[in-house]
Amino acid sequence: MLFQVRMDVHMPHDLPQEEAADILAREKAYSQALQDSGTWRHIWRIAGQYANVSIFDVKDNAELHAVLTGLPLFKFMTIKVTPLLRHPSSIREDDT
Amino acid sequence: MLFQVRMDVHMPHDLPQEEAADILAREKAYSQALQDSGTWRHIWRIAGQYANVSIFDVKDNAELHAVLTGLPLFKFMTIKVTPLLRHPSSIREDDT
Amino acid sequence: MLFQVRMDVHMPHDLPQEEAADILAREKAYSQALQDSGTWRHIWRIAGQYANVSIFDVKDNAELHAVLTGLPLFKFMTIKVTPLLRHPSSIREDDT
Amino acid sequence: MLFQVRMDVHMPHDLPQEEAADILAREKAYSQALQDSGTWRHIWRIAGQYANVSIFDVKDNAELHAVLTGLPLFKFMTIKVTPLLRHPSSIREDDT
Amino acid sequence: MLFQVRMDVHMPHDLPQEEAADILAREKAYSQALQDSGTWRHIWRIAGQYANVSIFDVKDNAELHAVLTGLPLFKFMTIKVTPLLRHPSSIREDDT
Amino acid sequence: MLFQVRMDVHMPHDLPQEEAADILAREKAYSQALQDSGTWRHIWRIAGQYANVSIFDVKDNAELHAVLTGLPLFKFMTIKVTPLLRHPSSIREDDT
Amino acid sequence: MLFQVRMDVHMPHDLPQEEAADILAREKAYSQALQDSGTWRHIWRIAGQYANVSIFDVKDNAELHAVLTGLPLFKFMTIKVTPLLRHPSSIREDDT
Amino acid sequence: MLFQVRMDVHMPHDLPQEEAADILAREKAYSQALQDSGTWRHIWRIAGQYANVSIFDVKDNAELHAVLTGLPLFKFMTIKVTPLLRHPSSIREDDT
Amino acid sequence: MLFQVRMDVHMPHDLPQEEAADILAREKAYSQALQDSGTWRHIWRIAGQYANVSIFDVKDNAELHAVLTGLPLFKFMTIKVTPLLRHPSSIREDDT
Amino acid sequence: MLFQVRMDVHMPHDLPQEEAADILAREKAYSQALQDSGTWRHIWRIAGQYANVSIFDVKDNAELHAVLTGLPLFKFMTIKVTPLLRHPSSIREDDT
């Protein structure tokens, strides 16, 4: 089941640089593991923003919540969730 | 070059049914031809809305505009465009 | 899987009274059949508004969309969908 | 008398971890006591958000206010209250 | 139990004058009967707007809804409901 | 001359408790003196919010401003002012 | 007593030209009579908008309301009222 | 050339009192010098707000910008600029 | 003196096609004459929207207003005006 | 390919003056180098705001993102991107 998720990151400008670097490294590893397993289907950067648009493939709302709240950057993010489904005009196999 | 586009459709409730059916048939054909050629990369329905989230792959802003204003439903749509690019954490080949 | 849905109804004031009455009768029957089957878990009226707050229990986003777009009043509604899950503090069996 | 309440939690990121843990433990106990007594009818987590949607059953606005301002997390919450009543199409006994 | 209600009136400019006059006469009678019985505690005009701010005293949300949807102007109004209670600093007897 | 005023209070969470208690005590005394003199006609708490809805009776805008900026909590408040007048349908003597 | 008022005009595009011309002529006469008497202190056009910013000098909210609802264009306007008073830094005699 | 400017002041509550007093004194002197020279045509306080509505008479956008960014309070203000011109219905000489 | 202007066009879908074509032809001629004379410095289409972003070079607010209200499409447009000036970092001659 | 970008700057008022001066100097150099190379086509100050409107000419979304996130002031900016293209009515050579 697919969800579109937009994440906007707002890191406090007084966060120690080392702490920030550590969070970002863990964020990247976390994201790539989920991409690898197929849960995090797509991730794109939004031009000019510290933000991304992503597509998640999860079995239910509870899994989506667990994945998102597990993000190392979660407490610095504004998150917007949009539930998706196959469009009747789609001809692509991977739009489901 | 990728763009996310959200389209919300608002057809006037007094549009003659035949005219509506004709527009929708042309819309579907138009969308599927562009999916076929690779320009319209993804299309998903938004749950509970007469709306979709799509990903377009075009060579520039002008091509995007030509594709969107060519939609048979264009004059009944509210459209929101978000320019995208490859995310540094992406491991997928088709996120570019 | 649970979703909260808010529906605000805006019927055009020039809709023939008979047509309106027919739509409302079909809407009520449709809603009660889905309540009966367990899909439409709760429905409450919002005080002072021609609107309701509902809880749906569906197997996925696609079923939710089919249920909502099947509403006889769908084309006169503004719909807002919020995906829910069990809260870690809940002690109630029917909050899942 | 029923009210829908949405609570969004925003804890300051510099709150000492011990203080935060203590508030959260008291919040959980407070919520479960009110669920137990029937005042807090439902509580659901919103997917991807540090937020919940709840249904309260109170005798009047004053009781609702006392319950909400008594929340250990009250000062870190944005709260939205929507007064509800039985919907004429409801067939469920517990929608009142 | 008290509620503040703001009502903004938007009558379609093509409504026949006679029909409009009839609705307004019934609205005034309806309002004055409820003021007389004590349900409609206060009503004030908002300067420069076709709108009012009112205070209602009802026994529950259901009575408030019945009163508001019974307004002859209801279908031409945008309504905003705010649940109130006695303020701890109030010294007035009629603020409850 | 009447004004509706909504006041939302946002006290910084790091304000020393003693300072906060002192401000609140002065706020209560200030409000009750003005209620006593008839300037602060009504004050109601909004359910679930650290906020109130009030009705002021002043001789002009300048008096209203002096009263509001004199509030001990003024610098922690968001204030919204709505100028009111007698409604043509009012039958109450004290709605002027 | 001074009020700033912003008026945005939205005339329906299907209003008969003669009716529109008649309303506009009466609007102009009405405005100039009130300027002449000192009630309508200032009126400025907003660049690029069918809108104006005005300053009214009235004895109370009721007079302001009577003046505004008497505008021949009233039913085609969106009106925003801001109550003003003398600024402590003003050195101009006519800012009161 | 006239501009309406609304300025809302938000001074940080932890600004040392002496520093605040110094800024305010310089602000007043700055404003009065510009009123004196005719650049700052009008200034009114908004009732209940730490804000003003002003009319500036400048030779172009660049002069307006220089005047506004020179305000001692500039960095604590939210500013909204509205370009004005003579209204065709104005009969006042000083509305240009 | 420069202004940025955004124009969003909303033509009623029931406007006779001939009337629409006539307005659009006059709009184009009007725009090109002003570009030719140097008043309309730039005009760009916004991708995916029936809208443009333009830069105007006028001697004052009154000229800007005359130019914009003279647009054949004016009554079908939503217009947003932003006053500009030379940026201190600009190195381009034609940014003034 | 052209993009309009609006940048609003919000520097924390407690940023050490030296650090601020250093960032601003680097910002100016960065901007002028990009103007020099033709990437940053236009930059204008917005009257009364610590903000600018700019036009960028880049080969794709990725280049735009690299340019914007490289701004020394990036972390203190709110950025809004609007993709542009040649307008069919433009007669200017440099509007492409």
Side-chain angles (χ1 to χ4, degrees), chain B residues 24-44:
Chain B
L24 293 176
R26 285 189 292 122
E27 178 82 10
K28 187 170 192 169
Y30 183 89
S31 165
Q32 293 187 335
L34 285 164
Q35 289 179 64
D36 212 48
S37 68
T39 300
W40 199 321
R41 276 269 200 109
H42 296 286
I43 178 168
W44 298 285

PDB file of all heavy atoms in Angstrom, chain B residues 24-44:
ATOM      1  N   LEU B  24     -13.273  12.895 -20.439  1.00  0.00           N
ATOM      2  CA  LEU B  24     -12.573  11.886 -19.636  1.00  0.00           C
ATOM      3  C   LEU B  24     -11.920  10.820 -20.516  1.00  0.00           C
ATOM      4  O   LEU B  24     -10.818  10.340 -20.211  1.00  0.00           O
ATOM      5  CB  LEU B  24     -13.538  11.252 -18.632  1.00  0.00           C
ATOM      6  CG  LEU B  24     -14.019  12.232 -17.553  1.00  0.00           C
ATOM      7  CD1 LEU B  24     -15.060  11.576 -16.650  1.00  0.00           C
ATOM      8  CD2 LEU B  24     -12.819  12.707 -16.721  1.00  0.00           C
ATOM      9  N   ALA B  25     -12.586  10.445 -21.599  1.00  0.00           N
ATOM     10  CA  ALA B  25     -12.002   9.440 -22.506  1.00  0.00           C
ATOM     11  C   ALA B  25     -10.726   9.998 -23.149  1.00  0.00           C
ATOM     12  O   ALA B  25      -9.701   9.307 -23.241  1.00  0.00           O
ATOM     13  CB  ALA B  25     -13.023   9.049 -23.573  1.00  0.00           C
ATOM     14  N   ARG B  26     -10.792  11.267 -23.578  1.00  0.00           N
ATOM     15  CA  ARG B  26      -9.610  11.870 -24.188  1.00  0.00           C
ATOM     16  C   ARG B  26      -8.476  12.049 -23.163  1.00  0.00           C
ATOM     17  O   ARG B  26      -7.310  11.863 -23.470  1.00  0.00           O
ATOM     18  CB  ARG B  26      -9.967  13.212 -24.838  1.00  0.00           C
ATOM     19  CG  ARG B  26     -10.727  13.000 -26.174  1.00  0.00           C
ATOM     20  CD  ARG B  26     -10.904  14.289 -26.947  1.00  0.00           C
ATOM     21  NE  ARG B  26     -11.822  15.182 -26.257  1.00  0.00           N
ATOM     22  CZ  ARG B  26     -11.538  16.418 -25.842  1.00  0.00           C
ATOM     23  NH1 ARG B  26     -10.328  16.918 -26.056  1.00  0.00           N
ATOM     24  NH2 ARG B  26     -12.446  17.147 -25.228  1.00  0.00           N
ATOM     25  N   GLU B  27      -8.861  12.373 -21.933  1.00  0.00           N
ATOM     26  CA  GLU B  27      -7.870  12.527 -20.862  1.00  0.00           C
ATOM     27  C   GLU B  27      -7.102  11.221 -20.646  1.00  0.00           C
ATOM     28  O   GLU B  27      -5.877  11.215 -20.539  1.00  0.00           O
ATOM     29  CB  GLU B  27      -8.574  12.943 -19.554  1.00  0.00           C
ATOM     30  CG  GLU B  27      -7.677  13.094 -18.347  1.00  0.00           C
ATOM     31  CD  GLU B  27      -6.974  14.452 -18.301  1.00  0.00           C
ATOM     32  OE1 GLU B  27      -7.332  15.344 -19.095  1.00  0.00           O
ATOM     33  OE2 GLU B  27      -6.053  14.610 -17.488  1.00  0.00           O
ATOM     34  N   LYS B  28      -7.843  10.117 -20.605  1.00  0.00           N
ATOM     35  CA  LYS B  28      -7.210   8.817 -20.355  1.00  0.00           C
ATOM     36  C   LYS B  28      -6.244   8.451 -21.488  1.00  0.00           C
ATOM     37  O   LYS B  28      -5.121   8.007 -21.241  1.00  0.00           O
ATOM     38  CB  LYS B  28      -8.290   7.737 -20.211  1.00  0.00           C
ATOM     39  CG  LYS B  28      -7.736   6.386 -19.790  1.00  0.00           C
ATOM     40  CD  LYS B  28      -8.855   5.416 -19.422  1.00  0.00           C
ATOM     41  CE  LYS B  28      -8.284   4.175 -18.731  1.00  0.00           C
ATOM     42  NZ  LYS B  28      -9.364   3.366 -18.134  1.00  0.00           N
ATOM     43  N   ALA B  29      -6.697   8.654 -22.731  1.00  0.00           N
ATOM     44  CA  ALA B  29      -5.845   8.345 -23.884  1.00  0.00           C
ATOM     45  C   ALA B  29      -4.572   9.205 -23.863  1.00  0.00           C
ATOM     46  O   ALA B  29      -3.462   8.718 -24.105  1.00  0.00           O
ATOM     47  CB  ALA B  29      -6.618   8.567 -25.186  1.00  0.00           C
ATOM     48  N   TYR B  30      -4.772  10.476 -23.563  1.00  0.00           N
ATOM     49  CA  TYR B  30      -3.644  11.419 -23.515  1.00  0.00           C
ATOM     50  C   TYR B  30      -2.622  11.000 -22.468  1.00  0.00           C
ATOM     51  O   TYR B  30      -1.412  10.986 -22.714  1.00  0.00           O
ATOM     52  CB  TYR B  30      -4.216  12.809 -23.209  1.00  0.00           C
ATOM     53  CG  TYR B  30      -3.232  13.947 -23.176  1.00  0.00           C
ATOM     54  CD1 TYR B  30      -2.912  14.659 -24.328  1.00  0.00           C
ATOM     55  CD2 TYR B  30      -2.644  14.352 -21.981  1.00  0.00           C
ATOM     56  CE1 TYR B  30      -2.036  15.726 -24.293  1.00  0.00           C
ATOM     57  CE2 TYR B  30      -1.760  15.421 -21.935  1.00  0.00           C
ATOM     58  CZ  TYR B  30      -1.455  16.108 -23.089  1.00  0.00           C
ATOM     59  OH  TYR B  30      -0.588  17.163 -23.049  1.00  0.00           O
ATOM     60  N   SER B  31      -3.138  10.643 -21.277  1.00  0.00           N
ATOM     61  CA  SER B  31      -2.247  10.249 -20.181  1.00  0.00           C
ATOM     62  C   SER B  31      -1.491   8.977 -20.542  1.00  0.00           C
ATOM     63  O   SER B  31      -0.281   8.875 -20.325  1.00  0.00           O
ATOM     64  CB  SER B  31      -3.067  10.039 -18.898  1.00  0.00           C
ATOM     65  OG  SER B  31      -2.319   9.340 -17.937  1.00  0.00           O
ATOM     66  N   GLN B  32      -2.200   8.015 -21.120  1.00  0.00           N
ATOM     67  CA  GLN B  32      -1.549   6.727 -21.393  1.00  0.00           C
ATOM     68  C   GLN B  32      -0.514   6.842 -22.506  1.00  0.00           C
ATOM     69  O   GLN B  32       0.530   6.173 -22.455  1.00  0.00           O
ATOM     70  CB  GLN B  32      -2.607   5.667 -21.693  1.00  0.00           C
ATOM     71  CG  GLN B  32      -3.442   5.399 -20.418  1.00  0.00           C
ATOM     72  CD  GLN B  32      -4.419   4.260 -20.530  1.00  0.00           C
ATOM     73  OE1 GLN B  32      -4.861   3.918 -21.628  1.00  0.00           O
ATOM     74  NE2 GLN B  32      -4.765   3.661 -19.398  1.00  0.00           N
ATOM     75  N   ALA B  33      -0.755   7.710 -23.466  1.00  0.00           N
ATOM     76  CA  ALA B  33       0.254   7.918 -24.513  1.00  0.00           C
ATOM     77  C   ALA B  33       1.537   8.498 -23.903  1.00  0.00           C
ATOM     78  O   ALA B  33       2.652   8.084 -24.246  1.00  0.00           O
ATOM     79  CB  ALA B  33      -0.300   8.857 -25.590  1.00  0.00           C
ATOM     80  N   LEU B  34       1.381   9.436 -22.957  1.00  0.00           N
ATOM     81  CA  LEU B  34       2.556  10.046 -22.331  1.00  0.00           C
ATOM     82  C   LEU B  34       3.245   9.090 -21.355  1.00  0.00           C
ATOM     83  O   LEU B  34       4.460   9.170 -21.160  1.00  0.00           O
ATOM     84  CB  LEU B  34       2.158  11.344 -21.610  1.00  0.00           C
ATOM     85  CG  LEU B  34       1.881  12.515 -22.559  1.00  0.00           C
ATOM     86  CD1 LEU B  34       1.121  13.614 -21.836  1.00  0.00           C
ATOM     87  CD2 LEU B  34       3.192  13.081 -23.110  1.00  0.00           C
ATOM     88  N   GLN B  35       2.488   8.204 -20.727  1.00  0.00           N
ATOM     89  CA  GLN B  35       3.114   7.172 -19.890  1.00  0.00           C
ATOM     90  C   GLN B  35       3.931   6.231 -20.766  1.00  0.00           C
ATOM     91  O   GLN B  35       5.044   5.832 -20.409  1.00  0.00           O
ATOM     92  CB  GLN B  35       2.050   6.381 -19.128  1.00  0.00           C
ATOM     93  CG  GLN B  35       1.365   7.161 -18.024  1.00  0.00           C
ATOM     94  CD  GLN B  35       0.305   6.334 -17.316  1.00  0.00           C
ATOM     95  OE1 GLN B  35       0.612   5.327 -16.679  1.00  0.00           O
ATOM     96  NE2 GLN B  35      -0.948   6.737 -17.453  1.00  0.00           N
ATOM     97  N   ASP B  36       3.332   5.903 -21.891  1.00  0.00           N
ATOM     98  CA  ASP B  36       3.961   4.992 -22.826  1.00  0.00           C
ATOM     99  C   ASP B  36       5.310   5.530 -23.314  1.00  0.00           C
ATOM    100  O   ASP B  36       6.295   4.790 -23.444  1.00  0.00           O
ATOM    101  CB  ASP B  36       3.018   4.821 -24.017  1.00  0.00           C
ATOM    102  CG  ASP B  36       3.144   3.441 -24.615  1.00  0.00           C
ATOM    103  OD1 ASP B  36       3.113   2.468 -23.826  1.00  0.00           O
ATOM    104  OD2 ASP B  36       3.304   3.347 -25.846  1.00  0.00           O
ATOM    105  N   SER B  37       5.361   6.832 -23.568  1.00  0.00           N
ATOM    106  CA  SER B  37       6.589   7.433 -24.102  1.00  0.00           C
ATOM    107  C   SER B  37       7.600   7.753 -22.995  1.00  0.00           C
ATOM    108  O   SER B  37       8.712   8.198 -23.289  1.00  0.00           O
ATOM    109  CB  SER B  37       6.244   8.725 -24.837  1.00  0.00           C
ATOM    110  OG  SER B  37       5.801   9.692 -23.904  1.00  0.00           O
ATOM    111  N   GLY B  38       7.209   7.571 -21.722  1.00  0.00           N
ATOM    112  CA  GLY B  38       8.161   7.795 -20.631  1.00  0.00           C
ATOM    113  C   GLY B  38       8.116   9.188 -20.039  1.00  0.00           C
ATOM    114  O   GLY B  38       8.804   9.481 -19.062  1.00  0.00           O
ATOM    115  N   THR B  39       7.301  10.085 -20.602  1.00  0.00           N
ATOM    116  CA  THR B  39       7.222  11.456 -20.083  1.00  0.00           C
ATOM    117  C   THR B  39       6.469  11.507 -18.751  1.00  0.00           C
ATOM    118  O   THR B  39       6.836  12.233 -17.843  1.00  0.00           O
ATOM    119  CB  THR B  39       6.486  12.360 -21.107  1.00  0.00           C
ATOM    120  OG1 THR B  39       7.229  12.345 -22.321  1.00  0.00           O
ATOM    121  CG2 THR B  39       6.354  13.784 -20.592  1.00  0.00           C
ATOM    122  N   TRP B  40       5.390  10.732 -18.689  1.00  0.00           N
ATOM    123  CA  TRP B  40       4.556  10.695 -17.467  1.00  0.00           C
ATOM    124  C   TRP B  40       4.993   9.460 -16.675  1.00  0.00           C
ATOM    125  O   TRP B  40       4.469   8.383 -16.870  1.00  0.00           O
ATOM    126  CB  TRP B  40       3.072  10.613 -17.879  1.00  0.00           C
ATOM    127  CG  TRP B  40       2.082  11.009 -16.808  1.00  0.00           C
ATOM    128  CD1 TRP B  40       2.148  10.740 -15.486  1.00  0.00           C
ATOM    129  CD2 TRP B  40       0.848  11.715 -16.999  1.00  0.00           C
ATOM    130  NE1 TRP B  40       1.043  11.243 -14.836  1.00  0.00           N
ATOM    131  CE2 TRP B  40       0.232  11.854 -15.749  1.00  0.00           C
ATOM    132  CE3 TRP B  40       0.193  12.249 -18.108  1.00  0.00           C
ATOM    133  CZ2 TRP B  40      -1.020  12.490 -15.572  1.00  0.00           C
ATOM    134  CZ3 TRP B  40      -1.032  12.875 -17.932  1.00  0.00           C
ATOM    135  CH2 TRP B  40      -1.621  13.003 -16.682  1.00  0.00           C
ATOM    136  N   ARG B  41       5.993   9.664 -15.829  1.00  0.00           N
ATOM    137  CA  ARG B  41       6.648   8.531 -15.157  1.00  0.00           C
ATOM    138  C   ARG B  41       5.753   7.756 -14.200  1.00  0.00           C
ATOM    139  O   ARG B  41       5.833   6.533 -14.112  1.00  0.00           O
ATOM    140  CB  ARG B  41       7.806   9.090 -14.327  1.00  0.00           C
ATOM    141  CG  ARG B  41       9.057   9.301 -15.064  1.00  0.00           C
ATOM    142  CD  ARG B  41       9.939   8.071 -15.004  1.00  0.00           C
ATOM    143  NE  ARG B  41      11.282   8.531 -15.323  1.00  0.00           N
ATOM    144  CZ  ARG B  41      12.271   8.603 -14.449  1.00  0.00           C
ATOM    145  NH1 ARG B  41      12.097   8.162 -13.212  1.00  0.00           N
ATOM    146  NH2 ARG B  41      13.431   9.075 -14.817  1.00  0.00           N
ATOM    147  N   HIS B  42       4.984   8.458 -13.402  1.00  0.00           N
ATOM    148  CA  HIS B  42       4.113   7.811 -12.417  1.00  0.00           C
ATOM    149  C   HIS B  42       2.814   8.579 -12.313  1.00  0.00           C
ATOM    150  O   HIS B  42       2.801   9.808 -12.484  1.00  0.00           O
ATOM    151  CB  HIS B  42       4.742   7.818 -11.022  1.00  0.00           C
ATOM    152  CG  HIS B  42       6.004   7.034 -10.905  1.00  0.00           C
ATOM    153  ND1 HIS B  42       6.043   5.668 -10.894  1.00  0.00           N
ATOM    154  CD2 HIS B  42       7.292   7.446 -10.797  1.00  0.00           C
ATOM    155  CE1 HIS B  42       7.297   5.253 -10.773  1.00  0.00           C
ATOM    156  NE2 HIS B  42       8.086   6.325 -10.727  1.00  0.00           N
ATOM    157  N   ILE B  43       1.747   7.867 -12.010  1.00  0.00           N
ATOM    158  CA  ILE B  43       0.480   8.517 -11.666  1.00  0.00           C
ATOM    159  C   ILE B  43      -0.220   7.689 -10.592  1.00  0.00           C
ATOM    160  O   ILE B  43      -0.363   6.480 -10.734  1.00  0.00           O
ATOM    161  CB  ILE B  43      -0.437   8.708 -12.906  1.00  0.00           C
ATOM    162  CG1 ILE B  43      -1.770   9.345 -12.481  1.00  0.00           C
ATOM    163  CG2 ILE B  43      -0.661   7.428 -13.668  1.00  0.00           C
ATOM    164  CD1 ILE B  43      -2.624   9.837 -13.656  1.00  0.00           C
ATOM    165  N   TRP B  44      -0.582   8.363  -9.486  1.00  0.00           N
ATOM    166  CA  TRP B  44      -1.313   7.694  -8.404  1.00  0.00           C
ATOM    167  C   TRP B  44      -2.564   8.488  -8.061  1.00  0.00           C
ATOM    168  O   TRP B  44      -2.541   9.725  -8.080  1.00  0.00           O
ATOM    169  CB  TRP B  44      -0.449   7.599  -7.141  1.00  0.00           C
ATOM    170  CG  TRP B  44       0.797   6.797  -7.275  1.00  0.00           C
ATOM    171  CD1 TRP B  44       0.888   5.436  -7.332  1.00  0.00           C
ATOM    172  CD2 TRP B  44       2.149   7.282  -7.362  1.00  0.00           C
ATOM    173  NE1 TRP B  44       2.216   5.047  -7.460  1.00  0.00           N
ATOM    174  CE2 TRP B  44       3.005   6.169  -7.481  1.00  0.00           C
ATOM    175  CE3 TRP B  44       2.722   8.554  -7.365  1.00  0.00           C
ATOM    176  CZ2 TRP B  44       4.389   6.287  -7.583  1.00  0.00           C
ATOM    177  CZ3 TRP B  44       4.095   8.675  -7.472  1.00  0.00           C
ATOM    178  CH2 TRP B  44       4.921   7.559  -7.577  1.00  0.00           C
TER     179      TRP B  44
END
